[in-house]
């Protein structure tokens, strides 16, 4: 582990992140093996505004893990949500089974970020939503599920440059004008400050990723995930139960 960490750091400082990302992907693939063998569950959240390098980091992570044991679920605003009962219901249905990882590309935090800024979440319900989120995440912790929450930050200038480039490609998914939120929007920053103060708990802390540089962001995100896996996953193979001898 020490040798691998040295390789990551050395490649980063030299400015050539390709070898570091390759080594880190291999390391994550190795860390997934004890998770699968011991039947441990894990959840990873990718949060942050549009253009914050989330998708590039997700592609790197997807290339690291065994796809047979990973599910990726993008979260968008759903007008049908009210017909499905509790607002967390659609996330309950996507929780990982033993040995698997669920990656939420955006998550239940949309309700107190984008949806709040766009007026889709009533202000009088915000405190209750925070309580329900913390209870939900504590339940996952109590059930033995590893939860890694990554928030990708980005400067407004870099965000605008990236979204302008996307708009030039007609095959790229376009964000509706009414749904676009600038990273430096005061209402968004206020919502983000309250999110961090209310949900940065000891059982599920936030890890902030600087998304201005895509490769650096991917490296930081994968390092955070590898660190969490190293601490949470058993280091030894599971003990096999021998069949009883017949006298």
């Amino acid at each position: 582990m020490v040798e691998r960490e040295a390789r990551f750091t050395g490649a980063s400082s030299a400015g050539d992140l390709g070898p570091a990302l390759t080594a880190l992907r291999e390391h994550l693939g190795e860390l997934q093996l004890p998770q699968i063998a011991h039947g441990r569950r894990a959840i990873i959240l990718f949060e942050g505004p549009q253009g914050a390098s989330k998708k590039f980091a997700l592609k790197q992570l997807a290339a690291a893990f065994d796809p047979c044991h990973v599910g990726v679920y993008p979260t968008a605003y759903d007008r049908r949500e009210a017909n499905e009962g509790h607002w967390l219901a659609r996330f309950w249905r996507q929780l990982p089974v033993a040995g698997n990882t669920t990656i939420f590309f955006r998550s239940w935090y949309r309700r107190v970020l984008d949806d709040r800024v766009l007026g889709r979440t009533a202000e009088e319900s915000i405190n209750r939503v925070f309580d329900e989120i913390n209870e939900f995440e504590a339940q996952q912790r109590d059930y033995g599920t590893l939860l890694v929450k990554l928030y990708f930050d980005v400067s407004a200038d870099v965000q605008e440059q990236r979204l302008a480039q996307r708009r030039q490609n007609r095959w790229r998914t376009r964000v509706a004008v009414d749904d676009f939120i600038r990273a430096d929007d005061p209402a968004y920053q206020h919502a983000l400050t309250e999110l961090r103060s209310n949900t940065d708990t000891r059982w599920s802390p936030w890890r902030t990723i600087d998304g201005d540089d895509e490769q650096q962001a991917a490296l930081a995100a994968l390092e955070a995930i590898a660190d969490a896996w190293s601490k949470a996953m058993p280091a030894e193979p599971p003990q096999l139960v021998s069949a009883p001898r017949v006298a």
Side-chain angles (χ1 to χ4, degrees):
M1 182 64 183
V2 174
E3 294 179 357
R4 287 187 177 275
E5 287 179 348
R7 289 168 62 189
F8 302 153
T9 304
S12 299
S13 60
D16 180 11
L17 302 186
L21 283 170
T22 299
L24 194 45
R25 288 196 302 267
E26 293 176 357
H27 182 48
L28 276 168
E30 295 171 358
L31 289 173
Q32 190 189 22
L33 297 177
Q35 176 196 2
I36 297 170
H38 286 274
R40 298 291 300 274
R41 298 169 175 82
I43 296 172
I44 303 173
L45 308 186
F46 279 65
E47 276 296 342
Q50 296 96 335
S53 301
K54 298 187 300 298
K55 189 162 290 185
F56 183 80
L58 176 62
K59 290 177 180 178
Q60 299 299 315
L61 180 59
F65 279 161
D66 181 344
C68 293
H69 297 276
V70 177
V72 180
Y73 299 97
T75 301
Y77 175 64
D78 190 353
R79 293 178 174 83
R80 301 168 300 173
E81 184 181 272
N83 298 325
E84 299 183 359
H86 195 280
W87 69 274
L88 282 170
R90 61 173 169 157
F91 301 108
W92 295 337
R93 290 193 292 270
Q94 309 300 348
L95 293 177
V97 299
N100 283 14
T101 299
T102 295
I103 303 171
F104 288 103
F105 189 79
R106 304 304 306 273
S107 67
W108 42 87
Y109 284 102
R110 280 190 65 100
R111 196 172 186 87
V112 290
L113 283 176
D114 301 51
D115 291 348
R116 180 182 184 182
V117 174
L118 296 171
R120 296 167 177 165
T121 303
E123 282 297 318
E124 58 270 20
S125 71
I126 293 297
N127 289 335
R128 174 176 55 80
V129 172
F130 281 137
D131 288 342
E132 290 174 343
I133 287 174
N134 287 330
E135 289 172 6
F136 173 64
E137 292 180 355
Q139 288 170 355
Q140 303 314 305
R141 183 274 316 268
D142 293 344
Y143 197 52
T145 301
L146 172 62
L147 180 59
V148 180
K149 302 192 302 191
L150 304 178
Y151 181 83
F152 289 74
D153 204 358
V154 65
S155 64
D157 290 342
V158 173
Q159 180 193 39
E160 179 55 37
Q161 291 172 9
R162 286 178 179 163
L163 295 183
Q165 291 174 353
R166 293 180 187 179
R167 287 192 288 268
Q168 295 175 4
N169 185 339
R170 64 193 182 97
W171 294 109
R172 296 293 299 271
T173 302
R174 297 185 179 183
V175 179
V177 175
D178 292 342
D179 290 344
F180 174 68
I181 301 174
R182 283 181 58 92
D184 61 352
D185 184 307
Y188 182 83
Q189 288 298 317
H190 172 72
L192 179 59
T193 297
E194 289 204 347
L195 177 147
R196 285 172 168 156
S197 63
N198 283 279
T199 63
D200 189 25
T201 59
R202 65 180 183 278
W203 59 84
S204 59
W206 281 103
R207 295 170 171 84
T208 301
I209 307 296
D210 184 348
D212 277 1
D213 182 287
E214 282 191 335
Q215 287 204 346
Q216 289 281 6
L219 191 68
L222 266 61
E223 284 178 339
I225 295 168
D227 179 65
W229 250 249
S230 298
K231 293 176 180 177
M233 301 305 165
E236 299 296 329
Q239 296 297 320
L240 298 178
V241 179
S242 301
R245 290 187 176 182
V246 179

